[in-house]
């Protein structure tokens, strides 16, 4: 059932609190409710409020862009003297003064020539450049008291509605996101309708700092960001264990359900990318390498063109369909440095990237299978998720008719599943519409991870064919599918959800053996060898520290299973097993303790759907 109803016109009951200029679009297609629209307007307005306060304190400040974002807003500014976190308090104080004045926000339509002259006289070079980029005869100039900005809204009507705000951080940014451009500062903030909502959000941010995967990932030895490889963290031994377990889990699930694993080359000639359409639509986001003959190669940004080539290697029969391929090779995308963030936005990453070649009439059944597989994976990690149907973007390949058929096929599959979904107009891939899955993390934040994309274009461009039951050639369609999405991003979410303490089946260390004194080391080593033979990732704390310190270290490193060896355990050939979160301690003999850990470290059974 579609739950979108996304087109929202400003209702009469919102007219007194939200303003849109006459030249602005009065119909919003990207908000689910009036409240979402109001919060967007509130945050958009608060970005201008912050800019007005900065301008009052720093008259020479130059302003780039200041959009509303999820849960807040930011503004990119340029100053000769950078703003620090310490400087946010005076800016907040000035913002509060402006909100207390209850000023009205106003608009004025102005010719581009007049607006350019106005902002040039105020030394706002970035604004004059934006006017030139817009290329319209008229633009809308927004004003808040003495402060003017280039903006079409929507905004709230008065500053008193913005009182529940907080500035949260400062980071580096580049003008237009290009590191070749001017280096700027990005100041972030949040604003909410009520003080209670603001306090709850700030509390969540504090919890997020404690769980931050970047901090925890380094602390427990999972990965390390290195200056010589921005956007490509070094995976450390503990991290490789978790990464490998995740890869094996999703790989085995796909293989059990009819997929075959392949590996695409890391670098492919430009002719492949031209054929797929990526050279035209995606070249600027790829890493390019010049060949010895002056031609170019692209580091693989996605696997699909290679998978298309695999399908096209030989004649195919309808009896082979659906033909399912799975690939976990590394991908490289030339993300702007300012957009990089820990493990959630990278230049190099791996996907559980899969492609299903099938007749159009089989799409509904295959999407139903993908939905079930996605349910299993997310329930394994106790994740809730929402579904979005993303439709034709502005840069789409193919005809309107092809897109209508593809969108209808996905919509029909979702309707048949009985699941609620939202429609994101214009958010599809350039080659086809898609179903996106947004998971909710332990702090209530939303992350786009899984996707199922229906592609008519690449099968055409690669001239893919199969022979149907009547002996006639037909062209397949392709479903691009990933459940983890970027494995590194999914890992980041898991680190924060579990606060670094993974389920035992995927934990880097599944058992750590602690001795009260070195006298008991021989027995500890015998237990260790037995655990290793049983496939348990076990280690011994060989330090000379006291037991309390060893336990504290294990706790800080998020080790959940400890085996303590003292005099009694040594004499009786036993071990005391302590599991994090359980009050009861198990005193077991060697065979029993090994069996207990094997049971607890068992990976979830994988279904065949």
């Amino acid at each position: 059932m579609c739950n979108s109803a996304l087109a929202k016109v400003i209702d009469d009951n919102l007219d007194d609190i939200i303003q849109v200029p006459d030249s602005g679009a009065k119909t919003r297609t990207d908000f689910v409710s009036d409240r979402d629209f109001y919060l967007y307007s509130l945050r958009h307005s608060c970005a201008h409020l912050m800019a007005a306060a900065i301008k009052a304190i720093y008259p020479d400040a130059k302003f780039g862009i200041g959009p509303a974002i999820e849960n807040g807003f930011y503004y990119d500014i340029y100053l000769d003297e950078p703003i620090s976190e310490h400087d946010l308090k005076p800016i907040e104080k000035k913002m509060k003064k402006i909100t207390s004045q209850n000023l009205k926000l106003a608009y004025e339509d102005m010719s581009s020539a007049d607006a350019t002259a106005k902002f040039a006289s105020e030394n706002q070079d970035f604004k004059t450049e934006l006017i030139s980029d817009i290329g319209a005869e008229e633009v809308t100039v927004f004003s808040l008291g003495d402060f003017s900005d280039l903006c079409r809204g929507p905004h709230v009507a008065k500053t008193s509605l913005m009182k529940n705000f907080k500035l949260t951080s400062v980071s580096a940014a580049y003008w237009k996101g290009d590191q070749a451009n001017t280096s700027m500062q990005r100041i972030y903030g949040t604003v909410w309708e009520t003080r209670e909502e603001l306090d709850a959000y700030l509390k969540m941010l504090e919890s997020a700092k404690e769980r931050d995967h970047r901090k925890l990932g380094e602390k427990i030895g999972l990965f390390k960001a290195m200056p010589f490889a921005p956007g490509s963290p070094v995976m450390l031994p503990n991290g490789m264990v978790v990464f490998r377990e995740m890869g094996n889990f999703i790989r085995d699930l796909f293989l059990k359900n009819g997929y075959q694993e392949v590996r695409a080359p890391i670098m492919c000639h430009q002719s492949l990318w031209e054929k797929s359409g990526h050279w035209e639509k995606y070249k600027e986001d790829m890493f390019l390498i010049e060949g010895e003959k002056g031609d170019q190669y692209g580091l693989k940004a996605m696997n699909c063109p290679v998978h298309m080539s695999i399908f096209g290697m030989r004649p195919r029969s309808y009896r082979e369909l659906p033909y399912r391929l799975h690939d976990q090779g590394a991908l490289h995308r030339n993300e702007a440095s300012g957009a990089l963030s820990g493990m959630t936005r990278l230049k190099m990453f791996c996907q559980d990237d899969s492609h299903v070649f099938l007749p159009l009439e089989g799409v509904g059944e295959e999407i139903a299978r993908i939905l079930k597989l996605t349910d299993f994976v997310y329930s394994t990690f106790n994740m809730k998720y929402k579904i979005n149907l993303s439709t034709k973007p502005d840069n789409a390949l193919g005809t309107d008719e092809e897109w209508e058929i593809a969108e209808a096929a996905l919509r029909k599959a979702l309707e048949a599943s009985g699941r609620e979904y939202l429609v994101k107009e214009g958010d599809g891939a350039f080659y086809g519409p898609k179903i996106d899955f947004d998971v909710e993390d332990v702090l209530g934040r939303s992350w786009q991870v899984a996707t199922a994309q229906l592609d008519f274009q690449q099968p055409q461009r690669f001239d893919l064919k199969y022979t149907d039951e009547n002996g006639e050639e037909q062209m397949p369609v392709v479903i691009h599918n990933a459940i983890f999405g970027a494995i590194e991003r999914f890992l980041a979410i898991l680190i924060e959800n579990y606060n670094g303490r993974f389920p035992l089946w995927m934990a880097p260390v599944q058992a750590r053996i602690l001795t009260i004194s070195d006298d008991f080391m021989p027995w500890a080593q015998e237990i260790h060898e037995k655990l290793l033979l049983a496939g348990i990732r076990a280690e011994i704390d060989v330090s000379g520290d006291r037991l309390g310190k060893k336990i504290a270290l294990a706790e800080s490193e998020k080790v959940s299973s400890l085996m303590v060896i003292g005099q009694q355990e040594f004499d009786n050939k036993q071990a005391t097993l302590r599991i994090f979160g359980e009050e009861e301690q198990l005193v077991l003999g060697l065979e029993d303790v090994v069996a207990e850990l094997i049971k607890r470290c068992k990976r979830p059974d994988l279904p065949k759907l």
Side-chain angles (χ1 to χ4, degrees):
M1 176 180 62
C2 177
N3 188 33
S4 55
L6 289 178
K8 289 292 180 183
V9 180
I10 300 178
D11 297 323
D12 291 341
N13 63 339
L14 291 179
D15 281 344
D16 59 339
I17 58 173
I18 296 181
Q19 291 186 344
V20 177
D22 292 339
S23 60
K26 289 202 173 185
T27 300
R28 304 296 302 182
T29 60
D30 49 353
F31 297 99
V32 179
S33 65
D34 287 341
R35 174 170 165 77
D36 287 341
F37 184 40
Y38 174 67
L39 286 174
Y40 175 88
S41 304
L42 184 67
R43 288 159 184 166
H44 196 177
S45 306
C46 209
H48 293 296
L49 171 66
M50 179 178 70
I54 291 171
K55 183 68 174 175
I57 299 172
Y58 306 95
D60 294 331
K62 296 182 180 182
F63 298 93
I65 59 170
I69 57 175
E70 185 178 9
N71 296 324
F73 58 88
Y74 70 78
Y75 219 122
D76 289 345
I77 66 167
Y78 175 81
L79 275 171
D80 290 334
E81 294 294 328
I83 288 176
S84 68
E85 300 267 350
H86 179 75
D87 298 318
L88 297 183
K89 287 291 183 185
I91 297 172
E92 286 183 337
K93 185 176 180 181
K94 185 65 176 178
M95 291 171 68
K96 289 177 182 177
K97 183 174 181 181
I98 297 173
T99 59
S100 68
Q101 294 170 352
N102 202 22
L103 300 176
K104 291 187 176 181
L105 288 73
Y107 298 99
E108 178 184 359
D109 289 335
M110 191 178 294
S111 72
S112 290
D114 288 346
T116 298
K118 171 181 172 57
F119 286 111
S121 69
E122 297 173 2
N123 204 26
Q124 294 296 328
D125 306 337
F126 303 114
K127 297 298 179 183
T128 59
E129 186 176 335
L130 286 175
I131 295 170
S132 177
D133 290 344
I134 293 170
E137 292 184 3
E138 273 193 346
V139 294
T140 304
V141 175
F142 153 86
S143 61
L144 174 59
D146 296 332
F147 176 74
S148 296
D149 209 341
L150 182 69
C151 190
R152 296 177 63 191
H155 300 121
V156 295
K158 49 193 177 182
T159 58
S160 60
L161 295 169
M162 295 181 261
K163 62 184 179 181
N164 300 306
F165 68 84
K166 178 70 177 176
L167 301 188
T168 54
S169 63
V170 181
S171 70
Y174 294 100
W175 173 231
K176 295 182 177 178
D178 188 341
Q179 59 185 1
N181 291 338
T182 304
S183 178
M184 307 181 76
Q185 285 188 286
R186 179 168 294 177
I187 303 179
Y188 288 92
T190 187
V191 62
W192 295 82
E193 187 175 2
T194 67
R195 183 70 198 185
E196 290 75 17
E197 289 174 307
L198 174 63
D199 290 343
Y201 179 72
L202 295 177
K203 184 177 179 181
M204 184 276 291
L205 286 184
E206 285 303 311
S207 180
K209 288 180 182 178
E210 295 174 6
R211 292 174 175 264
D212 190 326
H213 75 276
R214 293 165 294 188
K215 174 183 173 183
L216 276 175
E218 186 170 336
K219 180 179 179 181
I220 61 180
L222 299 179
F223 60 86
K224 172 72 173 176
M226 297 291 194
F228 53 76
S232 304
V234 173
M235 198 69 75
L236 301 174
N238 280 353
M240 276 308 302
V241 171
V242 182
F243 187 83
R244 185 176 64 247
E245 290 295 329
M246 291 175 64
N248 289 341
F249 170 80
I250 202 72
R251 176 187 292 109
D252 292 346
L253 177 64
F254 276 119
L255 295 183
K256 190 170 185 177
N257 283 276
Y259 291 74
Q260 303 175 77
E261 186 172 19
V262 295
R263 187 182 73 175
I266 200 69
M267 180 175 63
C268 298
H269 192 268
Q270 72 179 67
S271 58
L272 179 74
W273 306 114
E274 288 170 345
K275 192 172 185 178
S276 68
H278 289 94
W279 200 257
E280 175 190 354
K281 300 292 185 178
Y282 204 79
K283 178 182 175 182
E284 297 304 315
D285 296 308
M286 296 175 65
F287 289 100
L288 305 180
I289 300 171
E290 186 172 331
E292 59 185 26
K293 297 180 180 179
D295 50 356
Q296 287 188 303
Y297 291 78
L299 288 184
K300 181 184 58 174
M302 57 281 299
N303 293 302
C304 39
V306 177
H307 291 191
M308 303 294 158
S309 301
I310 292 173
F311 185 90
M313 285 172 55
R314 61 173 177 81
R316 302 284 178 180
S317 165
Y318 73 96
R319 298 178 187 277
E320 298 179 69
L321 306 186
Y323 183 72
R324 304 180 180 99
L325 297 178
H326 176 71
D327 195 324
Q328 292 187 14
L331 305 178
H332 293 80
R333 298 181 183 176
N334 194 11
E335 299 281 1
S337 296
L340 301 176
S341 178
M343 297 280 274
T344 61
R345 193 72 176 267
L346 297 170
K347 291 179 181 284
M348 186 196 81
F349 58 95
C350 296
Q351 285 184 334
D352 57 324
D353 199 8
S354 303
H355 295 90
V356 182
F357 300 78
L358 72 169
L360 178 61
E361 56 268 24
V363 167
E365 183 179 349
E366 193 67 24
I367 290 295
R369 286 167 53 87
I370 289 171
L371 289 171
K372 290 177 182 177
L373 289 172
T374 305
D375 276 341
F376 168 74
V377 172
Y378 292 167
S379 64
T380 298
F381 296 105
N382 298 314
M383 288 179 171
K384 299 177 182 178
Y385 69 88
K386 296 179 180 178
I387 298 175
N388 304 306
L389 174 61
S390 299
T391 61
K392 183 181 178 183
D394 292 337
N395 67 338
L397 292 174
T399 67
D400 289 342
E401 182 181 4
E402 289 168 338
W403 277 83
E404 288 171 5
I405 294 172
E407 289 176 8
L410 291 185
R411 193 183 300 269
K412 183 178 179 181
L414 286 172
E415 297 285 356
S417 75
R419 299 163 192 260
E420 292 188 350
Y421 65 95
L422 302 177
V423 176
K424 287 190 173 181
E425 299 289 351
D427 206 33
F430 69 82
Y431 47 76
K434 57 180 180 170
I435 299 171
D436 288 328
F437 301 79
D438 292 345
V439 300
E440 181 180 300
D441 70 11
V442 71
L443 298 174
R445 299 169 299 184
S446 180
W447 300 91
Q448 195 275 307
V449 284
T451 187
Q453 306 170 0
L454 183 55
D455 185 359
F456 283 30
Q457 303 309 314
Q458 290 195 66
Q460 292 180 30
R461 298 175 79 95
F462 282 83
D463 194 26
L464 302 183
K465 294 287 192 296
Y466 70 93
T467 303
D468 68 14
E469 54 266 44
N470 298 317
E472 296 179 359
E473 282 194 338
Q474 303 291 343
M475 183 171 291
V477 297
V478 173
I479 298 175
H480 305 242
N481 177 38
I483 297 180
F484 281 161
I487 299 176
E488 289 85 350
R489 173 182 286 189
F490 205 88
L491 171 58
I493 297 169
L494 292 183
I495 292 170
E496 297 187 3
N497 278 4
Y498 291 125
N499 200 18
R501 195 182 301 280
F502 298 102
L504 277 176
W505 68 268
M506 62 187 301
V509 179
Q510 294 174 315
R512 181 175 291 177
I513 304 169
L514 313 179
T515 59
I516 292 178
S517 81
D518 289 345
D519 294 340
F520 312 126
M521 193 61 71
W523 178 230
Q525 290 170 341
E526 187 173 338
I527 295 174
H528 183 233
E529 290 175 8
K530 197 77 171 180
L531 291 173
L532 293 180
L533 287 173
I536 303 296
R537 293 187 290 274
E539 63 182 26
I540 304 175
D541 185 333
V542 295
S543 70
D545 296 328
R546 292 174 179 250
L547 180 62
K549 189 172 182 180
K550 290 179 179 181
I551 292 174
L553 177 64
E555 167 63 23
S556 70
E557 294 178 350
K558 308 295 184 179
V559 179
S560 294
S561 169
L562 303 179
M563 301 176 68
V564 178
I565 309 296
Q567 188 67 56
Q568 181 177 341
E569 290 82 4
F570 180 77
D571 292 341
N572 297 321
K573 296 301 179 182
Q574 294 176 325
T576 297
L577 180 62
R578 300 181 179 184
I579 304 294
F580 178 82
E582 297 184 10
E583 291 186 8
E584 183 182 2
Q585 299 181 23
L586 303 176
V587 182
L588 301 169
L590 180 56
E591 297 300 327
D592 289 338
V593 80
V594 171
E596 183 69 21
L597 280 171
I598 289 174
K599 180 178 69 174
R600 289 175 177 268
C601 294
K602 185 177 181 294
R603 190 178 74 179
D605 292 330
L606 304 177
K608 188 177 189 321
L609 301 172

